[in-house]
Amino acid sequence: MRKLLFGLLLILTSAASAQKISNNKKAIIQSIEKHNAELIAISDSVWALAETAFNEKQSSVILADYAEKNGFSVERGVSGMPTAFIATYGSGKPVISILGEFDALPGISQKAQPTKEALNEGAAGHGCGHNLFGTASLGAAVAVKELIEAGKIKGTIKFFGTPAEEKYFGKVWMVRDGLWDDVDVNLSWHPADNTEADAQSTLALVDFKVEYFGQAAHASADPWNGRSASDALELYTTGINYYREHIKPTVRIHYHIQDGGQVVNVVPDYSKLWVRVRDTKRSGVIPVYERVQKMAEGAAVMANVDYKITLISGIYEVLVNRSGEEIMQKNLEYLGDITYTEEEQAFGKKIQENTQKPQIGMDSKISPLKETKEHPGGGSTDVGDVSWNVPNINLSVTVAPKDTPWHSWAVVACGGMSIGHKGMTYAAKALSMTAVDLFEDQKLIEKIKNEYKERKGDEVYEANIPPGPPPVGDNYE
Ligand SMILES: [Zn+2]
């Protein structure tokens, strides 16, 4: 039985690779391969810099300069964010855009090796693979540009350099400014432990800050003169934790205590926490958000302190577009699985051993397009907000071994060596091939747009951020 299955698999695989592709697609694959060494160098520079949300100054310059060097016109510092930029090439319709991210996560610096050891002690690391994300997307945009330049396809290609995905969600300010208004279809991808045309949504969320203001006093000599901001904080989080019993299984609530007082012998007069509520739909997030705001007030009443709630930002769930994913899927079937050397598999298995996972190495097997789940699990992304303003096609590509703990040193390790590089090259090919399909066939764009309109229905998008400029410079810390 096993043998039979294996044989069947071989037939299927060779059938996939025998799929015919257009000369434009052949050219675009060659272009990615031609630029591959440069792309790896860019990715490795961004990886080593590991700059966090809104601090991605050098990373942003490296990417924007590369776009400019390749003939794109680059607008830097868009939507009040010095590290956000748009690179554009070509003119007229269709307008296709590709998203790139490049921010790192604090505290998870790591060398490109399978055992845990910081590259720079205490520094940030690319634990979500955004060094690969930004570089692959830009590589894809450059390859598309070469086809436009050669007169093989007509229209406009845009690369969006989008900062601060890991904190604050920079894309929301760009969406609020209407930066995707002239775009027909947007493409995006994300580093992952598997490879698929990603037909799943993500979770919507709201981030807000709660602060309590009390009265300081000596903790022993005159505590009756004190009104404790940390009492309020504890009562608040206790309320949230009781509330968990009564939320829907799709809801998530997290909090991070940012200030709980300074010393043990003072009744704290100030406390602060960052709260996040999520659900699979924005409509589900809103009632939970309202409820936990009331709880913040209730805790303030109990501790006899004042309180303040400040919205930080909120994001939508991704609006899936299966018509777009079907196009992506065909290109993945053509490209096939990523192949790894024995050394790479050994590296992957060592990572799995060191993170207590089964030692099975990398998984980049192309499966048929999955059903779209009504209530997906997983995380959230500000790609969601883009997807409610322009049809979006999403992709996941393997850049780390199966089941690697995400946002961890293990992802940082893989993103700085060939396992990550291979995923990046693959993503660049899949994105640019899918873009070529769209440039070559207006009917595909129409089909994607029709599905987008149908799924969006009469829901009116509203950017869930406070008025005014983005919190560049960590104003919310
Ligand atoms: Zn990410």
Side-chain angles (χ1 to χ4, degrees):
M1 185 64 187
R2 257 217 177 141
K3 261 193 177 158
L4 193 73
L5 272 177
F6 186 65
L8 198 68
L9 208 69
L10 271 181
I11 294 165
L12 284 172
T13 315
S14 52
S17 45
Q19 185 189 322
K20 289 238 175 353
I21 57 163
S22 70
N23 287 337
N24 283 342
K25 281 197 192 168
K26 281 183 199 153
I28 217 149
I29 290 174
Q30 279 168 10
S31 165
I32 302 287
E33 279 164 6
K34 183 181 75 190
H35 291 291
N36 204 31
E38 283 175 334
L39 296 176
I40 288 173
I42 290 172
S43 173
D44 284 352
S45 302
V46 174
W47 179 86
L49 284 164
E51 297 170 299
T52 56
F54 287 141
N55 301 308
E56 322 92 330
K57 296 186 182 85
Q58 294 180 72
S59 306
S60 166
V61 167
I62 289 170
L63 293 166
D65 283 358
Y66 185 71
E68 216 160 55
K69 196 185 95 187
N70 278 282
F72 282 74
S73 71
V74 178
E75 198 187 344
R76 300 174 195 239
V78 298
S79 295
M81 298 178 281
T83 51
F85 67 96
I86 309 174
T88 308
Y89 185 87
S91 61
K93 287 280 188 181
V95 182
I96 306 297
S97 65
I98 310 180
L99 297 182
E101 297 173 4
F102 38 87
D103 61 329
L105 288 154
I108 51 169
S109 174
Q110 166 66 29
K111 291 181 178 172
Q113 64 183 39
T115 47
K116 189 171 182 285
E117 188 186 345
L119 179 66
N120 301 305
E121 204 56 59
H126 272 286
C128 206
H130 292 182
N131 58 307
L132 306 166
F133 186 164
T135 311
S137 296
L138 182 55
V142 168
V144 171
K145 169 253 160 182
E146 288 179 353
L147 279 185
I148 298 175
E149 193 177 30
K152 304 287 184 193
I153 50 177
K154 283 193 174 57
T156 308
I157 181 77
K158 285 188 170 205
F159 171 83
F160 283 90
T162 65
E165 193 279 334
E166 299 291 3
K167 198 177 182 185
Y168 306 123
F169 311 117
K171 290 180 199 68
V172 187
W173 282 271
M174 299 170 81
V175 167
R176 188 174 69 181
D177 284 352
L179 301 187
W180 279 270
D181 284 359
D182 66 339
V183 176
D184 291 296
V185 179
N186 182 74
L187 303 173
S188 188
W189 78 288
H190 202 285
D193 70 345
N194 69 329
T195 302
E196 63 179 45
D198 187 0
Q200 306 307 328
S201 185
T202 53
L203 305 192
L205 67 79
V206 175
D207 272 359
F208 59 101
K209 181 175 62 167
V210 177
E211 291 168 285
Y212 289 109
F213 306 90
Q215 168 65 54
H218 193 292
S220 178
D222 65 338
W224 47 85
N225 285 328
R227 291 183 293 115
S228 171
S230 78
D231 285 0
L233 183 147
E234 287 195 59
L235 290 163
Y236 181 40
T237 56
T238 303
I240 286 177
N241 293 325
Y242 270 88
Y243 179 41
R244 291 188 200 280
E245 178 72 10
H246 309 286
I247 54 177
K248 290 189 177 157
T250 52
V251 173
R252 298 282 183 276
I253 310 176
H254 330 284
Y255 54 79
H256 171 226
I257 297 169
Q258 296 185 294
D259 192 340
Q262 303 298 320
V263 285
V264 74
N265 58 348
V266 174
V267 173
D269 66 351
Y270 181 74
S271 66
K272 177 166 71 164
L273 68 169
W274 183 310
V275 188
R276 169 171 293 183
V277 297
R278 310 194 206 218
D279 198 358
T280 49
K281 307 270 184 288
R282 177 158 162 72
S283 53
V285 168
I286 293 164
V288 179
Y289 178 41
E290 282 166 3
R291 178 77 193 272
V292 292
Q293 285 184 92
K294 275 191 188 151
M295 283 182 186
E297 184 186 356
V301 171
M302 281 192 277
N304 191 25
V305 297
D306 296 319
Y307 77 105
K308 186 178 166 200
I309 296 171
T310 312
L311 171 67
I312 298 169
S313 56
I315 52 179
Y316 277 62
E317 73 275 18
V318 162
L319 198 61
V320 171
N321 194 296
R322 292 190 66 88
S323 309
E325 298 302 339
E326 280 163 15
I327 301 167
M328 179 66 80
Q329 173 73 19
K330 282 198 191 119
N331 289 318
L332 298 190
E333 284 168 8
Y334 174 78
L335 289 170
D337 306 354
I338 301 172
T339 51
Y340 297 100
T341 63
E342 270 177 37
E343 291 78 35
E344 286 162 347
Q345 287 293 1
F347 188 103
K349 287 176 184 170
K350 191 84 195 157
I351 291 253
Q352 286 162 331
E353 184 190 336
N354 289 333
T355 53
Q356 295 81 49
K357 296 290 171 190
Q359 291 171 49
I360 53 172
M362 274 72 73
D363 170 20
S364 77
K365 204 174 127 2
I366 309 304
S367 307
L369 187 62
K370 292 182 184 136
E371 288 298 310
T372 301
K373 292 181 195 144
E374 179 64 13
H375 294 291
S380 309
T381 167
D382 56 5
V383 176
D385 289 64
V386 177
S387 76
W388 281 85
N389 286 273
V390 61
N392 179 65
I393 305 175
N394 207 22
L395 163 73
S396 296
V397 178
T398 307
V399 305
K402 192 76 191 149
D403 294 326
T404 302
W406 219 253
H407 285 191
S408 82
W409 68 268
V411 175
V412 186
C414 297
M417 51 79 71
S418 58
I419 297 171
H421 298 154
K422 283 186 171 175
M424 177 186 73
T425 308
Y426 189 98
K429 288 179 182 174
L431 289 168
S432 54
M433 288 170 80
T434 304
V436 166
D437 282 316
L438 302 175
F439 278 102
E440 285 181 339
D441 190 351
Q442 176 63 27
K443 284 201 280 306
L444 292 178
I445 295 179
E446 290 312 318
K447 193 177 171 211
I448 288 169
K449 283 188 170 177
N450 287 340
E451 181 179 335
Y452 165 77
K453 277 181 206 145
E454 205 173 295
R455 284 185 187 266
K456 191 174 172 183
D458 46 19
E459 173 107 10
V460 179
Y461 171 84
E462 224 179 302
N464 199 12
I465 43 177
V472 177
D474 270 2
N475 296 335
Y476 285 92
E477 275 303 311

